[in-house]
Amino acid sequence: MPTSSRASFSRRFLLTLVAVFVVLLAAPALSGFITDWLWFREIGFQSIFLTSLNWRGTFFGLGALVAFGALYGNLRLARRGAERHVAMYVQLGEGLRVDATQIVPRLLEGVALLMALIMGAAFSAGWLTVLQAFHGVSVGAADPLFGRDIGYYLFTLPAVAMVLDALRTLTGMALAFVGITHVLRGTFVVAGRPISIEPSAARHLGALLALFFVLGAVRLWVVGSADLLYSNTGPLFGASYTDVHYRLPGIRLGAVAGLVAAGAVLYGVARGRLVWYTVLATIGWLGVNVTARGLVPAAVQKFVVAPNELVRETPYLQHHIDFTRRAWGLDSVETRELTGDAQLTMDGIKANAATIGNVRLWERDLLKQTFSQLQEIRTYYDFGSVHDDRYVIDGKYRQVHLSARELNTAALPTRTFINERLTFTHGLGLTMAPVNEVTNEGLPVLFVKDVPPVSTVGIKVTRPQIYYGELTNSYVFVGTGQKEFDYPAGEANVYTPYAGKGGVPVGSFLRRLLFAWDFGSLKILLSDDIAGGARVLYRRNILARAETALPFVRFDEEPYLVVNDAGELKWMLDAYTTSRVYPYAQRIEGGVNYMRNSVKVVIDAYDGTVDAYVADAADPVIRTFARIFPNILKPLDAMPADLRRHVRYPSALFRAQTSLHATYHMVQPETFYHKEDQWQFPAVADKERASSGFMRHIILRLPGEASEEFIYMMPFTPRGKDNMAAWMVARMDGAHYGKLVVYRFPKQSLVYGPTQIANRINQDTEISRQITLWDQRGSQVIRGELLVIPIGESLIYVQPVYLRAQGGSIPELKRVVVAYENQVVMDETLERGLAQLFGGSASAIAAAGAASTVDAAGTASRAASVVGAAGSANPAIAALVREAAQLYERATAAQRAGDWAEYGRQIERLGAVLRDLKAKAP
């Protein structure tokens, strides 16, 4: 082969290798890009994807181009003109050395390209910050120090700071590159004495040094002064006395010093003494800043302000209080005073029957254990979180617990591609239980149970399949050649085809190739079952789905399931807009000092449809995002009414607001400074429950209101004390949604707090004796959460007591402790406990609509007596009734012993007897 042909072949081969290498690097990113686009198009959020893509690309290109132009242009400029040839050899090995003056400049060009790409990526990452600056709305309130609208700090200033930081960083890199180049060219000699520099090099370096000082001065004047609004100098967050009177003038003096330093550098260039004037300028600049911004303010704070802190800081404390309350929505909290001397009677109990009838006797973590044991049905089903919600059931406003029965593919008996991806594709239904009803065996009553879902109340589940959920993290294919498993039915299985609109079509060869590459599974490409109308469902975890669809908001970690009027399952998620730069406002953990629950997201559990609704149209942050992403967010009025009835006030926001309100209900600076009336959350003995404390969902009738409603409630005690000081609620129903109300007890009255009641329960001899007796029998006693229940202007306390048999896993509710003032009783039911405290009878309370138990055995007995009446004339029916009663007793005994295999056998036999009984009954 001729030499030219061999060279041509070598070049083609090398180019082919490079092309293959580039494809291998680009293919994953390209496949991910395409699957992302297909996913956003599936849910109808293409504008989110395109807006992000367009502006990321624009800012990357702009940032990289400017950075490379600045760095490369300065390098080329530094290499122009005459040079002194100075060889600088670097020893690389035995007998091998290279001239750094020839190699390093070329390396710097490559480094310049790399730095430009990094700068472009950094600028691209800030695309949303820049768009907020262009689309930011006015807040309508100004900061007290500079008089600027708060929107300037929320939207404009972060982008200005980002650009100034990028320019200063770029200038610093250019200065370093140019300095190295001039040293290597011999036009800037630093090794000799004195240091010498050519005029052209001096002009170049001097211009960059001056620009560096000018940019620093501009940033200090614009951003540094604004940073005082987030200062921690004094006893508050925000600009304090020292910040306003000494640190702010120091910042401005430092900025002027930066401009003077820049002028001094340029003067040094003109005089031919760049190095000398640069050293003087730097020393002067540092001296002014250290003195004016550091030493003087620190001395004033310690020797002038600290001894007279309250007098000096009073107006700034007022700013801090006002802006914190405004940023966290505490300025709209309504405070209602309670008399503190109201006495609760049985008439008051009956008048609040709806509250008593919804006292939460089941804890969510214990209920989840029970659901898992009784309602998972098969090992491949799992229950995620147990949620609180409210429904109108048989004409009554009821609080319920519910949890979705999701599919756990990791627990499938046979884990194959077909089973995990094509056959077992979804969970099924849910389990729903009222918060207060208990069977005779101490187990929760189930309103909705089993597969397919069976409802004993007016709530019907017509579309129980769950393709999108809390525990669903894998992709599946629907519309394939394999039948989709729906639910087990005895020895057989029931299958169903997917009829939803979710998923991305994947029937073509190219689509299968794309998803095979992206998901890393060759079986997708090779499977004969994936063809024609097949679709792939991915990003099925509802939280990940929502976060991807709406990347500009933060999501609450407690999504919850709703059954709408049509019997469909919908997931509801709360989303927050947040900021870290609201002037003067107190920050919480994570640095956030502004937060609004501005968006409600609904995701269909069947087809994955995502709908986002604006819940707080007054929030300036969500208004800004609505400008950036038009036609994505819908008004809350567009949410279907059957879903609007289930919107909740989000837990993370309420937890933050109650935590802050414990201090910021004090609006007078002097009271705030001394913390004279500071509150705290009641102490929690169980550390595992400390995260939620006493924050609870409750259905109750608030003092002065006409009807019961669903609320979030948190009690407060005085700081360092155990008596009750106040309780705060977030209202959730109808026109009252989002309103915060604090009910405050008089300071001079003694209202027992949770810790004091807990101590009284512990000291009660009868309760202690009974608990000790259970413990000695080998059972585990579980004391539930102590519930604070407002009844009118009074408080009662309720604590359920559970028993778990040795070796068993299902807790049973055995007793209920009820306390009022200094009285404590324990009984089998809430009604009987209330009857002990207030007189009267449990049946009277039940008659008022506050029943808390369901006697399953009594119900069975009544049914048996009805059938028995007919059986008196039919010996066969009478025999079946007796057999049913015996099987029921055996199943109950097996349940108490924790023998679930035996329990299942007896229940199965009982079902067969009941079917025979139904067939023979007249």
Side-chain angles (χ1 to χ4, degrees), residues 731-753:
R731 305 176 72 176
M732 304 193 198
D733 288 347
H736 298 302
Y737 175 81
K739 294 182 179 179
L740 302 177
V741 185
V742 170
Y743 294 88
R744 186 162 56 187
F745 293 103
K747 295 180 182 179
Q748 67 275 14
S749 64
L750 173 61
V751 179
Y752 287 102

Side-chain angles (χ1 to χ4, degrees), residues 369-384:
Q369 298 173 26
T370 304
F371 285 175
S372 298
Q373 288 294 323
L374 300 182
Q375 282 292 304
E376 282 185 356
I377 311 298
R378 293 291 188 270
T379 58
Y380 43 77
Y381 287 130
D382 270 350
F383 286 102

Side-chain angles (χ1 to χ4, degrees), residues 856-872:
T859 304
S861 175
R862 288 191 295 273
S865 66
V866 173
V867 178
S872 61

Side-chain angles (χ1 to χ4, degrees), residues 659-720:
S659 177
L660 289 165
H661 193 73
T663 299
Y664 289 90
H665 70 275
M666 299 177 288
V667 296
Q668 298 302 319
E670 184 173 356
T671 305
F672 181 90
Y673 180 81
H674 293 299
K675 302 293 187 291
E676 295 175 8
D677 191 25
Q678 189 176 18
W679 300 338
Q680 65 183 21
F681 295 153
V684 179
D686 189 344
K687 293 182 179 180
E688 294 182 358
R689 295 171 178 162
S691 60
S692 59
F694 289 87
M695 193 168 73
R696 300 286 181 272
H697 288 109
I698 307 175
I699 287 181
L700 61 80
R701 180 159 59 89
L702 294 170
E705 300 295 335
S707 60
E708 67 276 6
E709 55 188 280
F710 191 60
I711 58 98
Y712 232 152
M713 183 261 196
M714 172 63 83
F716 297 103
T717 62
R719 182 168 60 95

Side-chain angles (χ1 to χ4, degrees), residues 150-166:
I150 302 301
Y152 170 80
Y153 302 100
L154 295 179
F155 310 120
T156 306
L157 189 61
V160 172
M162 184 183 76
V163 172
L164 288 174
D165 288 340

